[in-house]
Amino acid sequence: AKALGKNQYHFFSDEMNSSVQNHFELENRLRRAITDNELELYYQPKIDIVSGDTVGFEALLRWHSADHGDVSPTVFIPIAEKSGLIVSIGEWVIDKACEQAKQWLDSGFPAHISVNLSARQFLHTGKPNRLFELIEATLERYQLPAEYLEVEITENLMMHHLNESFSILEKLKNIGVKIFIDDFGTGYSSLSYIKKFPIHALKIDKSFIDDLVSDDNDAAIVTAIIAMAKQLKLEVVVEGVETEQQLAFFKDNNYEVVLQGYYFCEPLPANEIRYIYE
Ligand code: C2E
Ligand code: CA
Ligand code: CA
Ligand code: CA
């Protein structure tokens, strides 16, 4: 019994070790991903339901690791956030998105690009406006009008880092960068902050869209968010639209929203996006 206990201990401990090792291995590889040219931005269109026009793109990070293959952002973004690597990776994302928007703009393809921001990017003790200054300098460097860059932040980021985020977001809004609240409905923001913060749009989280057609509660929540946003003069973006029935829900109710999801287009590399729109 003792031996078995020992073996079991080893078994669990090896498994734990390998997951910890894997974490550090990924973190180490991620540390070099920028210089090794393994990162790429994909772009997913956002479509206006009324006009059918594409009104912008969300930039979504991809990691093509030489050692680990394609690693999902749901795996490597949390590692990047914990290790602090997200600060330099986030800087790379802002740079590439601006470069791409400028390149498209100059070739007659004006496209708004939104980037996802993590809490860590807002936190810089001693240099509270670092993120703002970085974005401003990047827009300047590429000579990109600020309206072509948009940012997506989660409710939780806004709530947990009120002081750090408020002044940066205010400054971004003042130069013309629009702010989207991502995964709306899943966090715990108080509605009064939605009104106080310089927000342009709410992105309704995909979890409310998945069963929209069959679940009356989800339909009620989505309807309530759209009604509230209208009163507050905020735009609404709907994430994760995958089916014609989901699209019909918004069309039949005459909801004037912006839609994003596999039904229209999955995230694609920049050259394929350009190909579709040519
Ligand atoms: P998110 O910001 O909520 O992005 C939406 C996710 O849903 C993306 O996953 C997108 O590919 C996926 N998606 C879009 N339409 C559909 C659909 O119709 N069905 C389904 N099932 N999924 C859909 P992705 O690209 O794997 O990114 C996952 C998360 O990783 C993002 O969630 C975001 O939180 C984070 N992320 C991605 N890129 C960045 C980045 O550059 N910076 C930061 N900080 N986070 C990022
Ligand atoms: Ca997002
Ligand atoms: Ca989202
Ligand atoms: Ca989400």
Side-chain angles (χ1 to χ4, degrees), residues 157-218:
L157 185 156
M158 187 170 78
M159 292 305 296
H160 288 303
H161 306 283
L162 275 182
N163 298 329
E164 294 91 345
S165 61
F166 190 84
S167 85
I168 293 177
L169 295 174
E170 195 98 294
K171 287 192 168 74
L172 285 175
K173 189 220 158 125
N174 287 341
I175 63 168
V177 175
K178 293 192 177 103
I179 295 139
F180 291 66
I181 301 299
D182 212 348
D183 302 345
F184 185 76
T186 61
Y188 14 68
S189 62
S190 116
L191 292 178
S192 68
Y193 284 106
I194 300 299
K195 206 180 68 182
K196 283 191 195 121
F197 267 70
I199 292 162
H200 175 74
L202 306 177
K203 294 190 78 174
I204 302 180
D205 191 68
K206 178 179 179 302
S207 58
F208 299 111
I209 308 308
D210 288 339
D211 302 321
L212 179 69
V213 178
S214 57
D215 187 329
D216 290 345
N217 289 331
D218 284 340

Side-chain angles (χ1 to χ4, degrees), residues 44 58-62 72-74 77 81 86 93 116-118 121 152 182-183 206 239-242 261-262 267:
Q44 187 179 37
E58 176 174 8
L60 291 155
L61 192 54
R62 296 292 177 263
S72 165
T74 58
I77 292 289
E81 287 175 339
I86 194 66
V93 168
N116 291 283
L117 297 178
S118 297
Q121 297 176 264
E152 302 193 3
D182 212 348
D183 302 345
K206 178 179 179 302
E239 294 189 331
V241 177
E242 293 180 342
Y262 295 169

Side-chain angles (χ1 to χ4, degrees), residues 90-264:
E91 198 168 324
W92 183 91
V93 168
I94 291 163
D95 185 273
K96 283 295 164 243
C98 288
E99 184 182 38
Q100 188 62 67
K102 176 61 174 174
Q103 196 186 309
W104 277 341
L105 182 62
D106 284 352
S107 62
F109 182 53
H112 303 249
I113 296 179
S114 66
V115 296
N116 291 283
L117 297 178
S118 297
R120 278 293 271 270
Q121 297 176 264
F122 284 81
L123 308 178
H124 264 274
T125 38
K127 278 189 119 194
N129 283 316
R130 201 192 158 291
L131 179 62
F132 171 73
E133 284 157 13
L134 173 78
I135 290 175
E136 199 184 31
T138 310
L139 292 169
E140 176 68 27
R141 185 150 35 87
Y142 289 109
Q143 290 290 296
L144 179 70
E147 59 171 299
Y148 292 105
L149 181 70
E150 302 168 338
V151 299
E152 302 193 3
I153 60 167
T154 64
E155 290 171 87
N156 291 347
L157 185 156
M158 187 170 78
M159 292 305 296
H160 288 303
H161 306 283
L162 275 182
N163 298 329
E164 294 91 345
S165 61
F166 190 84
S167 85
I168 293 177
L169 295 174
E170 195 98 294
K171 287 192 168 74
L172 285 175
K173 189 220 158 125
N174 287 341
I175 63 168
V177 175
K178 293 192 177 103
I179 295 139
F180 291 66
I181 301 299
D182 212 348
D183 302 345
F184 185 76
T186 61
Y188 14 68
S189 62
S190 116
L191 292 178
S192 68
Y193 284 106
I194 300 299
K195 206 180 68 182
K196 283 191 195 121
F197 267 70
I199 292 162
H200 175 74
L202 306 177
K203 294 190 78 174
I204 302 180
D205 191 68
K206 178 179 179 302
S207 58
F208 299 111
I209 308 308
D210 288 339
D211 302 321
L212 179 69
V213 178
S214 57
D215 187 329
D216 290 345
N217 289 331
D218 284 340
I221 290 168
V222 168
T223 299
I225 294 175
I226 291 171
M228 179 190 76
K230 191 167 186 181
Q231 290 299 313
L232 295 173
K233 301 197 165 50
L234 300 174
E235 278 184 16
V236 173
V237 181
V238 180
E239 294 189 331
V241 177
E242 293 180 342
T243 69
E244 186 139 23
Q245 289 77 12
Q246 289 167 337
L247 169 62
F249 172 85
F250 296 97
K251 283 217 158 139
D252 295 348
N253 287 300
N254 292 313
Y255 292 149
E256 297 184 357
V257 293
V258 169
L259 303 166
Q260 200 183 343
Y262 295 169
Y263 178 77
F264 302 99

Side-chain angles (χ1 to χ4, degrees), residues 41-47 54 56-62 64 70 104 206 239-242 259-274 276-277:
L41 287 181
Y42 275 30
Y43 298 90
Q44 187 179 37
K46 299 177 183 174
I47 291 109
T54 293
F57 297 90
E58 176 174 8
L60 291 155
L61 192 54
R62 296 292 177 263
H64 312 292
D70 285 357
W104 277 341
K206 178 179 179 302
E239 294 189 331
V241 177
E242 293 180 342
L259 303 166
Q260 200 183 343
Y262 295 169
Y263 178 77
F264 302 99
C265 190
E266 66 198 86
L268 295 171
N271 60 331
E272 286 180 46
I273 289 287
R274 196 55 219 265
I276 290 176
Y277 287 89

